[in-house]
Amino acid sequence: MESKGVSYYVEAGKRAMEWHARYLEMMRQCRFDTIAVHGVYSMQEALDFNQGSTIEPVYLSTSQAYRDSDEMEAALSYQIPTWCYSRIANPSMYYFEGVLALLEGYNSGVETSCIATASGMAAIQSAVDPFLVVDPKKPGQKLNFVATCQLYGGTFQQFAQRKEKDRGIEWRKVCASHDIDEWESLIDENTRFLYGEMPSNPSQGFFDLKKVVELGHKYGLPVIIDSTVATPALLRPLEWGADIVVQSVTKSLATGGTSIAGALISRKNIVSSVDNDEMKANFAGWLKLIPNRDNGTNISPMNAMLAINDIRTLRTRMDLVSRSTMKIAEYLAQHKHVEQVDYLGLPSHPLHKLASEYMFLVDSEFDDLYKTRVNRYGHLMSFRIKGGAKATRTVFDAFQRIYRATDLGRIKSIATIPAISTHQQQGEEARKIADIPSNLIRLCVGAEHPDDIMKDVDQALSTLEGTKVYFTSPEYSAGGASSSKLA
Ligand SMILES: Cc1ncc(COP(=O)(O)O)c(C=O)c1O
């Protein structure tokens, strides 16, 4: 067989990339819901390559085969579009990354790219580690980064233990994250990035992103935002100038609750003082082909596909659950056994006005139901019980419909007490500065009818007055997984 030559495949690859760029441009003209439903999977791709499958296929294959050694060489030197090996890429991951890049970049006017990861924590590590490298011209440099102290407990641990304790990289904590002067006072020539969660889990911390971006860029620092709680249906930090967004896809994006997944979405040409032009030009693309190839943090194709299916209805779902959460927050705010409700949607919340400048239901102005821009604040809220930790456990233990689990973003309502679960390991002192007391219940409202969730909350609160729980479950289920715990 006569060799076609590497250049034959490179030319064919170029034509494929041009076609893909035109298709992406066409998708960018669509509304959010259309992008969420179709993503980057086209009818042409279905008919020509996937036996007409209307739904993106799951490619459960570790590797890609090549026609000959020329194609293999072109592929492995990244000269043609390829997926090689599922630790690096895979068609199902590609569909997932494509749709998220478009959704996070929606209306931003900036080109975006995405890398999927095995979890939200892997996305966070992928986002921050490339900046934590010592400048070769400054050996012995003591690096630091500036991040809000109100963070998901796992992120808190990654920063406090894996960065600070293990590697000696200082985490400078912003405690009043809405105070831009506090952010600025922590920056020096060894700072590598600014980081925050918007809104934060569970305390509903929030800050003025435009100002933080302005500040970061003034000092040549990238701004990294964890926007898990909002999802791109309610907030798109890249539109406001942020450089990188991380998502725990495990949560509201993949609401079905079947798998753990994460993603990192970056704009092209990010700001950074690290001397690496390739990294800055296309951060997510560079991560995918180089560091994460070596680190092996990729998502599985099956999990990517499960997430794609949930993302299709993201906007309408976030609208529904936000409205239900608002109802429940309003109800709790006037309840005699509740000391405080933390929900950005409540006008009484100190950060309500600020959050209202950023959190909108995407495309509500094109929705016949609203015809105007409407604020939505997501489905994570928390409330504090009068009577301390003991009373809080009494209420928590009495939930009948709301699951007790360390999770959020589910289609089913879920609650936890962060001080004994998600934020337990960071310790009392760190919980104090992050405002996570032991009487705080975090509630993530699902897509059930809100009346039924309200009923459950109400009966649970009434147990503080001695009312008996109306339905108690057996200690273990016959033959079920929980019975094995007793064996
Ligand atoms: C805001 C936020 N970021 C990141 C994570 C970590 O995500 P994962 O559990 O997918 O690793 C979580 C998990 O709860 C979270 O709530």
Side-chain angles (χ1 to χ4, degrees):
M1 195 177 84
E2 204 178 313
S3 161
K4 287 194 172 93
V6 171
S7 60
Y8 168 86
Y9 289 107
V10 173
E11 285 310 310
K14 265 191 205 144
R15 285 194 298 278
M17 301 263 270
E18 280 161 13
W19 184 89
H20 178 68
R22 282 197 300 277
Y23 186 75
L24 272 187
E25 201 36 54
M26 191 183 95
M27 284 314 294
R28 277 197 201 99
Q29 308 307 318
C30 297
R31 298 247 194 266
F32 190 92
D33 281 342
T34 310
I35 296 171
V37 169
H38 288 274
V40 293
Y41 185 66
S42 62
M43 195 182 293
Q44 189 166 355
E45 190 169 346
L47 296 171
D48 290 353
F49 303 113
N50 288 309
Q51 314 217 14
S53 171
T54 53
I55 294 297
E56 296 86 335
V58 192
Y59 280 82
L60 282 179
S61 173
T62 49
S63 55
Q64 176 184 14
Y66 297 105
R67 289 170 181 84
D68 56 26
S69 58
D70 290 332
E71 190 184 27
M72 181 178 251
E73 184 182 342
L76 275 289
S77 56
Y78 295 149
Q79 293 187 74
I80 58 171
T82 186
W83 60 277
C84 312
Y85 187 60
S86 290
R87 171 156 49 76
I88 307 166
N90 169 289
S92 307
M93 294 170 200
Y94 158 82
Y95 301 135
F96 171 65
E97 291 167 341
V99 70
L100 270 185
L102 286 172
L103 294 180
E104 281 291 353
Y106 187 67
N107 264 349
S108 66
V110 296
E111 219 186 313
T112 52
S113 44
C114 170
I115 173 171
T117 52
S119 68
M121 293 316 300
I124 293 168
Q125 186 187 14
S126 303
V128 303
D129 271 7
F131 301 110
L132 298 176
V133 289
V134 170
D135 183 342
K137 288 183 232 111
K138 298 184 189 164
Q141 182 183 26
K142 215 144 153 43
L143 298 174
N144 70 71
F145 60 93
V146 172
T148 53
C149 66
Q150 290 185 317
L151 293 175
Y152 161 61
T155 312
F156 194 102
Q157 290 302 94
Q158 186 181 120
F159 287 179
Q161 301 298 319
R162 305 288 78 81
K163 310 296 182 232
E164 207 162 46
K165 188 162 162 267
D166 295 354
R167 294 170 59 188
I169 299 163
E170 187 188 355
W171 169 13
R172 298 190 172 172
K173 296 186 186 71
V174 183
C175 288
S177 61
H178 53 279
D179 178 1
I180 202 72
D181 293 337
E182 190 181 335
W183 286 84
E184 186 157 21
S185 69
L186 299 170
I187 298 173
D188 68 14
E189 69 281 7
N190 294 326
T191 304
R192 284 304 205 204
F193 59 82
L194 307 185
Y195 186 102
E197 229 173 71
M198 295 181 79
S200 74
N201 165 14
S203 324
Q204 304 273 291
F206 208 82
F207 47 88
D208 197 333
L209 182 56
K210 272 182 291 181
K211 287 192 180 152
V212 172
V213 166
E214 223 175 83
L215 181 72
H217 292 179
K218 183 170 112 182
Y219 287 94
L221 302 172
V223 175
I224 306 169
I225 301 296
D226 182 336
S227 180
T228 296
V229 170
T231 82
L234 306 184
L235 174 73
R236 289 168 308 288
L238 301 180
E239 189 182 358
W240 299 98
D243 297 273
I244 297 166
V245 171
V246 286
Q247 289 284 352
S248 166
V249 177
T250 318
K251 306 294 171 343
S252 307
L253 279 163
T255 197
T258 49
S259 48
I260 301 288
L264 177 157
I265 305 95
S266 63
R267 61 166 60 229
K268 295 281 164 74
N269 301 314
I270 62 161
V271 173
S272 168
S273 56
V274 174
D275 187 19
N276 183 340
D277 289 342
E278 205 186 335
M279 173 188 95
K280 286 187 270 198
N282 180 358
F283 186 74
W286 168 82
L287 263 175
K288 187 166 186 63
L289 296 186
I290 305 183
N292 282 27
R293 170 198 64 189
D294 304 338
N295 291 329
T297 49
N298 225 341
I299 194 173
S300 95
M302 192 67 205
N303 288 358
M305 192 53 221
L306 289 165
I308 288 173
N309 264 337
D310 279 341
I311 288 169
R312 298 188 213 277
T313 53
L314 181 66
R315 193 187 76 91
T316 41
R317 181 163 34 85
M318 288 309 284
D319 183 24
L320 172 73
V321 291
S322 297
R323 285 187 285 121
S324 297
T325 309
M326 189 70 189
K327 263 188 164 179
I328 290 161
E330 281 168 347
Y331 162 78
L332 283 168
Q334 49 72 47
H335 199 286
K336 62 181 176 190
H337 291 305
V338 175
E339 182 184 286
Q340 183 178 322
V341 177
D342 299 304
Y343 184 54
L344 288 170
L346 289 178
S348 56
H349 193 287
L351 297 172
H352 171 75
K353 208 160 151 266
L354 181 62
S356 304
E357 289 173 27
Y358 287 95
M359 296 188 72
F360 295 95
L361 176 66
V362 65
D363 282 353
S364 56
E365 64 271 41
F366 307 116
D367 191 322
D368 281 349
L369 211 58
Y370 302 118
K371 297 192 171 76
T372 184
R373 284 190 99 190
V374 295
N375 284 115
R376 290 289 180 262
Y377 305 90
H379 55 150
L380 183 74
M381 58 167 291
S382 54
F383 58 105
R384 304 170 194 213
I385 305 294
K386 286 181 187 164
K390 190 163 180 289
T392 305
R393 282 182 182 236
T394 304
V395 173
F396 184 71
D397 292 347
F399 288 140
Q400 304 285 303
R401 174 74 57 203
I402 301 165
Y403 279 89
R404 286 169 287 276
T406 59
D407 205 357
L408 62 94
R410 299 279 70 89
I411 197 84
K412 297 180 178 182
S413 294
I414 284 192
T416 189
I417 299 177
I420 57 164
S421 58
T422 50
H423 293 69
Q424 186 224 113
Q425 287 163 0
Q426 69 191 56
E428 182 73 36
E429 194 49 41
R431 282 197 296 275
K432 209 162 160 192
I433 56 171
D435 192 23
I436 305 168
S438 57
N439 69 332
L440 182 145
I441 295 178
R442 182 184 81 184
L443 173 64
C444 194
V445 179
E448 305 93 340
H449 195 286
D451 289 353
D452 290 319
I453 297 308
M454 213 117 77
K455 253 192 230 164
D456 195 28
V457 170
D458 189 57
Q459 66 78 26
L461 284 162
S462 74
T463 56
L464 292 176
E465 290 158 30
T467 311
K468 285 273 176 292
V469 172
Y470 63 82
F471 176 80
T472 52
S473 41
E475 252 172 61
Y476 59 93
S477 50
S482 52
S483 64
S484 62
K485 280 192 278 189
L486 300 179

